[in-house]
């Protein structure tokens, strides 16, 4: 199966969010071809969650897992640590009071 480039996936994700009127911003631009992607969900109440894609060997599929959640400052610190390990990492911040990130929709695990 052919994998999408990171930049293509990010642009498609941002478009899907925009179509639902959910604000989102690229806060760290990673490698265009093979950079990993983190999504920070900011609920605008001082709390946040960060999601990372993971490969599940048992189901042979990718899924989104929670990297960190809680106070926004703690989530930001976890993201900063990940960026320290991987400078090619993309970070997208989604701002939605309802907690919508759309990562559970079909096509976004690819």
């Amino acid at each position: 199966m052919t994998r999408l480039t990171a930049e293509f996936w990010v642009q498609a994700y941002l478009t899907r969010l925009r179509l639902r009127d959910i604000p989102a911003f690229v806060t760290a631009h990673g490698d265009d071809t093979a950079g990993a992607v983190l999504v920070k969900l900011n609920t605008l109440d001082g709390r946040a969650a960060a999601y990372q894609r993971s490969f599940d060997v048992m189901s042979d599929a990718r899924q989104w897992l929670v990297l960190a959640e809680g106070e926004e400052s703690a989530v930001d610190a976890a993201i900063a640590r990940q960026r320290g390990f991987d400078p090619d990492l993309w970070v997208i911040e989604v701002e939605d009071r309802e907690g919508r990130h759309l990562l559970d929709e079909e096509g976004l695990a690819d």
Side-chain angles (χ1 to χ4, degrees):
M1 181 171 154
T2 304
R3 287 193 58 200
L4 301 175
T5 65
E7 180 180 32
F8 186 87
W9 188 93
V10 166
Q11 293 306 317
Y13 180 54
L14 292 173
T15 298
R16 194 178 286 197
L17 290 164
R18 192 170 35 255
L19 290 172
R20 296 274 191 85
D21 293 322
I22 302 171
F25 313 91
V26 174
T27 59
H29 186 288
D31 182 84
D32 288 343
T33 305
V37 178
L38 283 181
V39 174
K40 175 186 170 188
L41 174 62
N42 183 346
T43 52
L44 305 172
D45 61 358
R47 300 192 56 78
Y51 299 88
Q52 66 182 358
R53 266 193 303 196
S54 178
F55 185 76
D56 182 5
V57 180
M58 300 303 287
S59 66
D60 195 33
R62 280 180 254 159
Q63 59 187 352
W64 288 94
L65 301 175
V66 175
L67 170 70
E69 63 184 332
E71 293 296 319
E72 185 177 9
S73 60
V75 172
D76 287 341
I79 292 171
R81 283 191 299 277
Q82 290 297 323
R83 293 235 346 113
F85 300 135
D86 184 0
D88 292 329
L89 184 68
W90 288 79
V91 180
I92 300 168
E93 182 163 343
V94 177
E95 295 180 344
D96 188 69
R97 291 184 192 282
E98 297 174 34
R100 299 174 296 164
H101 50 63
L102 309 183
L103 295 174
D104 50 356
E105 289 191 353
E106 185 175 342
L108 288 176
D110 298 331

